[in-house]
């Protein structure tokens, strides 16, 4: 009957929705980011109240961070970092991570390491200059040799003048300009990159360059500085500078002469990339320009911003196409935000709001008009898409991407790969991004038409549509999995010999099938089942990873059915004094509350190592040496002494 139907796919049938008072047509009746079914069936929270316990912490936030959505724990400090859960929520930090708290990672200009004539702003992120001549200030945080790539940006607050941003050692003078010696590099707002007193690079369009990016590759013994500026809205990379005389800590260096009253320039070292994002996608720009180590750039400047793994893909519900700042304003988006029409002959593109990395997922697109120069595919978040065109070697063109042109061809980075039967109107994209680079399986006509690896993509990948027809008619559309797919991608991939054990039909968590909840990519125990001798050490290790790539190994819970004490963490030591079969289980609970486990059996067997007639387990209990037949060297074996009630740990051979 209809009462048993879950029409909105929120985990509750119609009858259950009526009983709970929720909206049978809404996945999330209270708009708190949790499906009604999760609230009712899993968490026990109120699906009609975004904050069930009224403690100021939304239910979704508490569930995500394993807090108590039914208990007022706003004043608690879950990670022991001296900031309450409520303060962490307000500041958008992680209440379960002691290394994430308000103000953590903020790099400031040092009030004790500046020229006396330099005045810092109240937040210590900006500088004003009072006296004629060049003067400077250093940051209170430095980076060390051999620690990786770092990045920060400077912003000028006034018209371009004789001032700038750079990096310097602690020995560089504070009454000079950046780049005046071997101890510093300076990027001057008047269009000069300087080092060791020499000009090493220039740029024009000074007034269009309000942002100055400095990426420092300190993965080796000497820092290499990469500078980025705007040239009339286009990122421009200056020549890299290797500081061959420097192998010591390096600071941000803000310098200049007074050109206007008040703060002339400010810095952003990555303290809050959500509230204050970087102007340049430095890792992308540098990587696509051939500076490959930039793939491993940290999230800002300083050790707290060192590279900590690949970017995560932000999830949205629903998954739709979205107009960005760089989207052609004349593009017409369908009412459901899943299709587009194009009114200018411009090859305009539009991206989805949800990318993917670390998983194996799929989506489909469809053309609705006769084949013309339009298409669909995948692209990263950073290249320009207005237009999606133009092959060249500059970072702003030939974007890392792949596409199927509905008129002709499968393309990679806008370079033709092969043709296909363009009478087909539906195109499938199965993306295996579990490795370091995404592998795209193109499905056309019910079969895999091409498989390609996008070698120059290392950030989340986004579906896109593009085209340049001239009529305001729906040209092409996209299906992320909210409705049935035309192709059975799993079966098609299997027929092509592809391992689909971790394949998920749909794009984004919002379109994950109900029978495939967010789960671990795997929890595994490194050691196989084995047999060990009693008393010998036996330690197991486990790895556990969430499907989004988060490492959960430290949260693995261990149990041993034979009696070893339970434990938590990456490793677990078995009590091998207990003879028998140790059935050891490693368990983890994922973000959706799903439990996953792995098992091994370690069988502990008793032996008589020293051949004295006592098993090692008996010797362990007695405290005798299982490697010596006569522990106390009194001429009587341990077995003899035990059998005759003598002391095997004391010389009692002369006693009567």
């Amino acid at each position: 009957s209809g009462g048993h139907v879950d029409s909105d796919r929120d985990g509750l049938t119609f009858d259950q929705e009526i009983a709970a008072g929720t909206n049978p047509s809404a996945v999330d009746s209270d708009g708190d980011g949790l499906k009604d079914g999760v609230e009712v069936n899993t968490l026990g929270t109120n699906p009609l109240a975004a904050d069930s316990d009224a403690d100021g912490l939304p239910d979704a936030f508490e569930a995500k961070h394993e807090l108590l959505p039914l208990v007022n724990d706003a004043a608690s400090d879950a990670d022991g970092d001296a900031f309450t859960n409520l303060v962490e929520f307000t500041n958008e930090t992680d209440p379960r991570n002691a290394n994430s708290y308000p103000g953590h990672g903020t790099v400031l200009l040092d009030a004790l390491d500046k020229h006396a004539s330099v005045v810092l702003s109240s937040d210590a992120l900006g500088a004003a200059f009072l006296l004629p001549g060049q003067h400077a200030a250093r940051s209170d945080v430095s980076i060390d040799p051999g620690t990786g790539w770092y990045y920060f940006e400077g912003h000028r607050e006034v018209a371009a003048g004789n001032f700038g941003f750079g990096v310097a050692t602690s020995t560089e003078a504070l009454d000079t300009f950046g780049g005046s010696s071997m101890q510093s590099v300076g990027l001057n707002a008047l269009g000069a990159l300087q080092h060791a007193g020499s000009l090493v690079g220039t740029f024009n369009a000074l007034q269009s360059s309000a942002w100055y990016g400095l990426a420092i590759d300190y993965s080796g013994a000497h820092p290499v500085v990469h500078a980025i500026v705007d040239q009339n809205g286009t990122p421009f990379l200056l020549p890299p500078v290797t500081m061959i005389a420097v192998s010591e800590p390096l600071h941000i260096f803000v310098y200049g002469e007074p050109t206007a009253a008040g703060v002339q320039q400010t810095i952003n070292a990555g303290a809050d990339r959500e509230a204050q994002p970087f102007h340049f996608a430095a890792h992308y720009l540098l990587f696509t320009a051939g500076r490959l180590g930039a793939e491993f750039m940290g999230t800002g400047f300083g050790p707290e911003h060192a590279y900590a793994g690949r970017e995560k893909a932000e999830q949205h519900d629903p998954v739709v196409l979205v107009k960005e700042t760089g989207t052609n304003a004349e593009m017409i988006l369908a009412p459901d935000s899943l299709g587009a029409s194009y009114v200018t002959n411009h090859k305009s593109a539009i991206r989805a709001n949800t990318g993917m990395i670390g998983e194996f997922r799929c989506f489909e697109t469809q053309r609705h008009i006769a084949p013309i120069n339009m298409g669909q595919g995948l692209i990263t978040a950073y290249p320009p898409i207005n237009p999606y065109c133009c092959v060249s070697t500059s970072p702003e063109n030939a974007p890392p991407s792949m596409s199927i042109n509905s008129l002709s061809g499968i393309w990679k980075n806008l370079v033709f790969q092969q043709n296909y039967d363009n009478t087909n109107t539906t195109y499938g994209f199965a993306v295996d991004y579990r490795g370091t680079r995404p592998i795209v399986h193109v499905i056309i006509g019910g079969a895999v038409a091409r498989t390609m690896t996008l070698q120059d993509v290392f950030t989340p990948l986004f579906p896109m549509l593009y085209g340049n027809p001239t009529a305001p008619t729906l040209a092409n559309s996209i299906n992320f999995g909210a409705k049935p797919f035309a192709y059975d991608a799993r079966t098609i991939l299997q027929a092509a010999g592809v391992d689909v054990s971790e394949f998920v039909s749909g794009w984004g968590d919002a379109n994950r099938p109900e029978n495939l909840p967010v789960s671990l990519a795997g929890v595994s125990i490194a050691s196989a089942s084995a047999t060990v001798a009693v008393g010998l050490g036996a330690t197991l290790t486990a790895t556990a990873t969430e499907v989004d790539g988060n490492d959960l190994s430290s949260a693995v819970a261990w149990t041993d059915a034979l009696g070893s004490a339970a434990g938590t963490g990456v490793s677990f030591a078995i009590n091998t004094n207990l003879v028998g079969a140790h059935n050891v289980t490693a368990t983890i609970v994922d973000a959706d509350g799903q439990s996953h486990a792995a098992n091994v059996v370690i069988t502990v067997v008793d032996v008589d190592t020293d051949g004295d007639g006592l098993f090692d387990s008996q010797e362990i209990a007695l405290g005798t040496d299982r490697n010596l037949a006569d522990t106390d060297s009194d001429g009587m074996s341990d077995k003899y002494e035990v059998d005759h009630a003598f002391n095997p740990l004391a010389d009692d051979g002369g006693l009567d």
Side-chain angles (χ1 to χ4, degrees):
S1 68
H4 298 292
V5 174
D6 179 9
S7 58
D8 57 3
R9 299 179 64 200
D10 65 355
L12 296 178
T13 65
F14 181 84
D15 289 344
Q16 290 173 320
E17 300 251 24
I18 298 302
T22 52
N23 185 346
S25 300
V27 172
D28 177 13
S29 295
D30 55 10
D32 62 357
L34 295 171
K35 290 184 178 182
D36 292 342
V38 172
E39 295 218 54
V40 172
N41 298 325
T42 304
L43 299 174
T45 50
N46 185 349
L48 301 176
D51 180 8
S52 295
D53 55 9
D55 61 356
L57 305 174
D59 293 342
F61 178 84
E62 298 214 55
K64 176 181 178 180
H65 296 289
E66 298 180 0
L67 301 178
L68 304 172
L70 297 174
V71 177
N72 187 335
D73 54 352
S76 301
D77 178 13
D79 54 9
D81 61 3
F83 290 87
T84 66
N85 297 338
L86 183 59
V87 169
E88 299 235 29
F89 166 70
T90 303
N91 287 274
E92 299 182 348
T93 52
D94 186 346
R96 281 289 181 184
N97 182 355
N99 289 317
S100 172
Y101 54 81
H104 186 67
T106 302
V107 178
L108 307 175
L109 296 176
D110 195 340
L112 301 178
D113 192 10
K114 67 177 184 64
H115 191 273
S117 65
V118 177
V119 177
L120 302 184
S121 58
S122 58
D123 60 6
L125 296 174
F129 303 89
L130 301 182
L131 297 180
Q134 291 282 335
H135 301 103
R138 267 182 286 264
S139 63
D140 61 353
V141 170
S142 63
I143 56 176
D144 293 324
T147 57
W149 283 70
Y150 301 91
Y151 182 70
F152 77 95
E153 289 181 347
H155 184 258
R156 67 173 169 78
E157 309 295 331
V158 299
N162 191 13
F163 56 86
F165 306 89
V167 289
T169 66
S170 60
T171 59
E172 179 63 286
L174 291 170
D175 57 355
T176 189
F177 62 91
S180 63
S181 78
M182 299 283 280
Q183 300 299 306
S184 65
V185 170
L187 184 60
N188 193 291
L190 290 179
L193 178 65
Q194 296 165 298
H195 175 57
S198 300
L199 185 68
V200 293
T202 62
F203 60 96
N204 300 313
L206 305 183
Q207 299 307 326
S208 75
S209 303
W211 294 95
Y212 308 85
L214 287 157
I216 303 93
D217 174 8
Y218 218 160
S219 54
H222 307 291
V224 182
V225 181
H226 305 266
I228 311 172
V229 296
D230 272 327
Q231 290 285 64
N232 295 318
T234 299
F236 177 70
L237 307 183
L238 285 97
V241 180
T242 302
M243 304 177 72
I244 59 175
V246 173
S247 57
E248 58 192 278
L250 207 58
H251 297 255
I252 295 175
F253 197 65
V254 174
Y255 65 93
E257 64 179 7
T259 64
V263 173
Q264 290 183 186
Q265 61 227 75
T266 56
I267 61 169
N268 175 13
D272 189 344
R273 295 183 65 185
E274 185 170 331
Q276 189 178 7
F278 286 131
H279 179 71
F280 298 111
H283 62 334
Y284 164 78
L285 292 169
L286 291 166
F287 181 86
T288 53
R291 304 175 195 180
L292 304 184
E295 175 183 351
F296 306 105
M297 185 180 295
T299 58
F301 187 88
E304 294 173 358
H305 294 289
Y307 179 75
R310 299 188 296 178
E311 295 176 56
K312 301 295 189 295
E314 185 176 345
Q315 298 294 310
H316 296 274
D317 188 358
V319 183
V320 293
L321 301 170
V322 291
K323 283 193 172 184
E324 315 163 23
T325 303
T327 308
N328 186 344
E330 296 183 13
M331 179 187 297
I332 300 174
L333 195 58
D336 62 2
S337 296
L338 294 175
S341 58
Y342 315 91
V343 295
T344 54
N345 191 21
H346 193 62
K347 204 174 180 185
S348 307
I350 186 167
R351 275 181 282 245
N353 62 353
T354 298
M356 189 272 281
I357 192 168
E359 299 181 79
F360 191 179
R361 289 181 175 271
C362 74
F363 67 95
E364 285 182 352
T365 65
Q366 185 176 7
R367 68 171 172 84
H368 300 278
I369 60 176
I372 58 174
N373 190 7
M374 66 178 191
Q376 44 273 310
L378 291 143
I379 195 168
T380 68
Y382 306 108
I385 54 174
N386 183 28
Y388 170 61
C389 78
C390 314
V391 177
S392 79
T393 57
S394 61
E396 68 272 15
N397 290 324
S401 61
M402 68 77 51
S403 58
I404 304 173
N405 189 293
S406 295
L407 185 64
S408 176
I410 300 172
W411 302 68
K412 177 181 177 182
N413 294 1
L414 295 170
V415 176
F416 177 81
Q417 304 295 306
Q418 71 175 62
N419 259 320
Y420 68 95
D421 180 0
N422 70 355
T423 62
N424 289 281
T425 60
T426 300
Y427 317 90
F429 300 82
V431 185
D432 184 354
Y433 206 164
R434 293 170 294 172
T436 58
R437 296 294 187 268
I439 302 170
V440 181
H441 304 280
V442 178
I443 300 174
I444 301 176
V448 174
R450 188 174 183 89
T451 294
M452 63 178 72
T453 300
L454 306 185
Q455 294 288 3
D456 46 6
V457 172
F458 61 95
T459 61
L461 205 52
F462 292 76
M464 71 167 173
L465 299 180
Y466 70 88
N468 63 359
T470 57
T473 302
L474 180 65
N476 49 6
S477 62
I478 196 162
N479 177 14
F480 297 109
K483 56 186 179 182
F485 288 126
Y487 296 133
D488 181 354
R490 179 182 295 274
T491 300
I492 293 170
L493 292 169
Q494 276 184 312
V498 178
D499 178 5
V500 295
S501 57
E502 294 184 357
F503 173 75
V504 176
S505 181
W507 193 268
D509 285 349
N511 296 308
R512 182 180 293 272
E514 294 299 326
N515 62 344
L516 280 173
V518 175
S519 63
L520 293 175
V523 54
S524 61
I525 299 174
S527 303
S529 296
T531 299
V532 299
V534 67
L536 296 182
T539 299
L540 302 176
T541 59
T543 56
T545 309
E546 192 87 69
V547 73
D548 61 4
N550 286 333
D551 187 354
L552 300 181
S553 302
S554 62
V556 171
W558 298 86
T559 57
D560 176 1
L562 196 62
S564 297
T568 302
V570 174
S571 61
F572 177 69
I574 298 168
N575 180 3
T576 55
N577 290 342
L578 296 174
V579 176
H582 293 250
N583 189 348
V584 181
T585 303
T587 306
I588 195 71
V589 178
D590 67 18
D592 272 5
Q594 302 295 316
S595 180
H596 308 265
N599 297 84
V600 296
V601 177
I602 303 298
T603 303
V604 179
V605 296
D606 224 350
V607 294
D608 180 6
T609 301
D610 55 14
D612 64 355
L614 291 175
F615 282 109
D616 285 2
S617 61
Q618 294 173 284
E619 300 227 44
I620 290 170
L622 292 168
T624 53
D625 190 336
R626 55 186 169 170
N627 295 303
L628 294 174
D630 181 6
T631 300
D632 54 14
S633 302
D634 62 357
M636 295 182 291
S637 71
D638 295 341
K639 177 69 164 64
Y640 179 88
E641 296 204 63
V642 169
D643 288 346
H644 294 86
F646 293 137
N647 185 353
L649 298 174
D651 185 349
D652 49 5
L655 298 179
D656 184 1

